[in-house]
Amino acid sequence: MSVLPPLSFDSLRCELTETFLSFSGYSLGEAETRECVYYNDNWRSERTNQSGFERCEGEKDKRLHCYASWLNSSGTIKLVKKGCWLDDFNCYDRQECVSMEENPQVFFCCCEGNYCNERFTHLPDLIGSGNRGEWQMHRIDSKDLFFPTMFLFIFIFSVQDPGPAPPSPLVGLKPLQLLEIKARGRFGCVWKAQLMNEYVAVKIFPVQDKQSWQNERDIFLTPGMRHENILRYIAAEKHGANMETELWLITEFHERGSLTDHLKGNTVTWTELCHIAETMSRGLAYLHEDIPSYKGEGPKPTIAHRDFKSKNVLLRDDLAAVIGDFGLAVRFEPGKPPGDTHGQVGTRRYMAPEVLEGAINFQRDSFLRIDMYAMGLVLWELVSRCSDTDGTVGEYMLPFEDEIGQHPSLEDLQDVVVHKKMRPVIKDSWLKHPGLSHMCETIEECWDHDAEARLSAGCVEERIGQISRTIGSTTSDSPISLVTSLINEDLPPKESST
């Protein structure tokens, strides 16, 4: 009887590791991925091709992969999606597309190498976890086997924690991949993520902020909340259990980020200022509007934002404004109480004087006027960074930053805003520009100390549009003729938000 030579532990480990990794879809080297097989079962509703090939593109120094996702209903396989997948260490060095989960709702696999997702396999982990751990090998003597010339090695995966893997949940059967944190705020962080071929934003709330997540989700789900200047909602999900629960809110993603981000790094021209201001006021006017039912949906109620500020205004690529962050928003539906409307909420710096002194009239119009005060401050931020003035444009500053610094207390703001009735400084150089001078008048009417005297969002939108069209259509370079033409134009009158 021939006997196999004994193997050292290290050589045995290498041999078994290589065998298993090959069997389970791993390989021991990176394969470049440039194209993947493409398929979309929802191609009609998403207006894409049904099948074909997809060219993979990503950031420099990031690896690219292919993926597939499918359903298994009583042995019947239904393909859902195939395509390119961005850098994910769970896919590294896997040349075959193999799903390792025991019994997922939707099967998902990823791999490296051109068209490696053409075929896909479900291979549940041998001992449960799917984590790559240390091999524990037990050698069984040949005399105990039916085939005496062979050795049988039983290997067991020991469960070790390799560190947190990026979660890849499925939104409506579409794989979602977190990429990078873009912002941190009061209620958690915002990630840039990839949902199939689309970048999305994922706002992750800790479980203790469930109320804010739930409120924002409910606001987004309000009938009629689809508008070009309101952030587009995609989905809300829960992940994890107990105190480790995370609450996700998934919306469209805007690479430019917030208006705050943009103004920190850029000045704006007069034309850009008008475009941002008009679309921003249009979004807020729509939010404030009470719209009867249409297109089969119920009526859209009036919604007050209650945390309006430049950080909650996002910018599209064309600089159109999009309003987001509705964690503190409140709806005013006929015959229903408006819900939690306690007074001092929002960001201190943007609080209206009546909020700072705790003298709010808890009526619909009172909350809309509070938004309009904040709108005045945001318009001031825009004007302060406009490059079309005689003077030099200063560094970006928050409202009241020059007066009371970056971290004012409630008492600081009460003293400045309520008692001294101060507002951010309007510079003389701004008033020399015919358009900016009228913009400054609008700003002052938004942040009026008398809440009932403030403009409505609809009036602001109309005024800015009128100013923009008048200045834009004037060909003369003379400031006098510009001012004259603007005065002769009938501007919308001052009105309150009632």
Side-chain angles (χ1 to χ4, degrees):
M1 181 187 296
S2 60
V3 180
L4 294 176
L7 294 174
S8 69
F9 180 82
D10 286 339
S11 62
L12 187 57
R13 179 205 296 265
C14 291
E15 185 175 323
L16 286 175
T17 302
E18 190 170 342
T19 300
F20 181 80
L21 293 181
S22 174
F23 177 62
S24 64
Y26 289 95
S27 78
L28 299 180
E30 177 184 356
E32 187 177 19
T33 308
R34 293 184 177 179
E35 284 195 342
C36 298
V37 177
Y38 173 81
Y39 180 82
N40 184 359
D41 189 52
N42 299 324
W43 65 279
R44 286 188 180 88
S45 61
E46 296 177 16
R47 298 179 181 178
T48 65
N49 294 331
Q50 182 179 18
S51 60
F53 301 99
E54 180 179 7
R55 184 78 177 173
C56 300
E57 296 179 357
E59 299 174 29
K60 189 178 179 182
D61 301 326
K62 297 281 188 179
R63 287 167 77 156
L64 298 169
H65 323 287
C66 300
Y67 82 93
S69 63
W70 69 96
L71 299 169
N72 185 345
S73 178
S74 303
T76 302
I77 303 299
K78 181 186 178 183
L79 184 58
V80 177
K81 302 273 185 178
K82 280 186 176 184
C84 296
W85 191 245
L86 292 182
D87 199 344
D88 184 340
F89 76 80
N90 291 298
C91 315
Y92 283 9
D93 306 326
R94 302 189 66 173
Q95 292 186 0
E96 295 179 19
C97 207
V98 180
S99 171
M100 305 283 284
E101 292 184 72
E102 185 69 33
N103 189 26
Q105 178 189 359
V106 180
F107 294 86
F108 173 84
C109 66
C110 56
C111 53
E112 291 187 327
N114 291 331
Y115 318 117
C116 65
N117 63 335
E118 182 175 6
R119 297 180 180 180
F120 49 90
T121 308
H122 179 223
L123 182 64
D125 206 357
L126 295 180
I127 310 285
S129 77
N131 294 330
R132 277 180 268 185
E134 257 186 49
W135 296 99
Q136 295 178 352
M137 284 155 285
H138 304 276
R139 181 169 172 173
I140 299 178
D141 196 89
S142 61
K143 67 183 179 183
D144 297 325
L145 303 175
F146 291 108
F147 303 98
T149 59
M150 297 177 62
F151 287 94
L152 175 66
F153 296 96
I154 301 175
F155 44 87
I156 300 174
F157 248 0
S158 68
V159 179
Q160 293 186 347
D161 183 8
S168 296
L170 291 137
V171 181
L173 306 186
K174 299 176 184 178
L176 176 68
Q177 183 180 18
L178 297 180
L179 301 176
E180 60 176 316
I181 292 179
K182 301 299 287 188
R184 294 184 187 274
R186 180 178 62 248
F187 294 125
C189 57
V190 179
W191 285 76
K192 178 182 180 180
Q194 186 181 22
L195 182 62
M196 306 305 295
N197 300 320
E198 175 188 14
Y199 287 125
V200 297
V202 180
K203 189 175 179 181
I204 301 181
F205 299 72
V207 68
Q208 56 266 32
D209 289 320
K210 179 181 178 181
Q211 185 60 47
S212 180
W213 169 80
Q214 189 170 316
N215 190 69
E216 187 159 11
R217 181 199 64 185
D218 291 348
I219 292 291
F220 273 124
L221 292 174
T222 302
M225 268 294 283
R226 289 188 293 274
H227 187 270
E228 61 182 352
N229 301 118
I230 301 290
L231 187 63
R232 178 171 63 88
Y233 169 82
I234 296 173
E237 298 183 335
K238 292 183 182 180
H239 297 278
N242 302 321
M243 290 308 293
E244 295 181 2
T245 300
E246 288 184 342
L247 305 167
W248 291 25
L249 196 72
I250 303 158
T251 64
E252 64 182 340
F253 175 76
H254 297 291
E255 189 67 55
R256 285 187 181 273
S258 71
L259 178 57
T260 307
D261 298 329
H262 185 74
L263 294 178
K264 280 180 181 177
N266 306 274
T267 58
V268 291
T269 65
W270 166 248
T271 303
E272 290 171 340
L273 185 154
C274 289
H275 182 55
I276 295 171
E278 188 173 6
T279 52
M280 177 175 69
S281 55
R282 183 177 300 141
L284 191 60
Y286 184 81
L287 197 67
H288 285 181
E289 195 174 354
D290 189 350
I291 303 174
S293 58
Y294 70 103
K295 296 182 180 178
E297 290 193 26
K300 177 206 161 290
T302 290
I303 297 173
H305 191 285
R306 296 210 301 166
D307 194 20
F308 192 80
K309 57 183 177 180
S310 56
K311 194 172 184 180
N312 290 339
V313 176
L314 304 173
L315 295 180
R316 298 190 187 278
D317 290 339
D318 66 353
L319 292 183
V322 176
I323 298 174
D325 197 333
F326 300 103
L328 293 173
V330 62
R331 292 178 292 199
F332 295 91
E333 302 177 75
K336 293 184 181 180
D340 180 16
T341 56
H342 61 276
Q344 290 183 330
V345 299
T347 303
R348 264 187 219 143
R349 186 183 300 278
Y350 293 86
M351 285 181 179
E354 62 269 27
V355 178
L356 290 168
E357 63 180 336
I360 304 174
N361 179 359
F362 290 91
Q363 301 297 319
R364 187 199 80 146
D365 290 345
S366 300
F367 287 98
L368 303 189
R369 291 164 184 155
I370 290 166
D371 282 351
M372 294 314 300
Y373 171 88
M375 164 74 85
L377 295 179
V378 175
L379 289 172
W380 176 88
E381 291 175 68
L382 265 171
V383 171
S384 73
R385 295 290 283 160
C386 183
S387 56
D388 292 3
T389 58
D390 292 339
T392 56
V393 181
E395 293 294 315
Y396 169 76
M397 297 188 81
L398 289 163
F400 300 110
E401 185 176 341
D402 201 29
E403 292 81 4
I404 47 180
Q406 291 191 348
H407 305 288
S409 66
L410 191 62
E411 291 74 20
D412 291 334
L413 282 158
Q414 286 171 337
D415 181 53
V416 167
V417 177
V418 179
H419 305 308
K420 296 179 180 176
K421 297 185 179 180
M422 292 173 61
R423 299 293 184 267
V425 173
I426 290 178
K427 296 183 179 179
D428 290 339
S429 59
W430 303 351
L431 301 177
K432 294 177 182 178
H433 183 285
L436 289 178
S437 65
H438 285 276
M439 190 71 76
C440 289
E441 287 179 18
T442 301
I443 289 171
E444 288 177 322
E445 293 180 66
C446 284
W447 68 30
D448 198 299
H449 202 82
D450 178 3
E452 293 185 5
R454 293 173 198 154
L455 301 176
S456 68
C459 179
V460 171
E461 178 197 353
E462 195 176 341
R463 278 199 178 189
I464 292 172
Q466 198 90 317
I467 295 169
S468 174
R469 287 189 296 273
T470 306
I471 297 299
S473 64
T474 305
T475 55
S476 170
D477 293 328
S478 166
I480 296 174
S481 65
L482 285 172
V483 173
T484 303
S485 66
L486 197 56
I487 290 172
N488 291 336
E489 188 80 34
D490 288 332
L491 288 177
K494 177 177 179 178
E495 66 175 58
S496 72
S497 57
T498 53

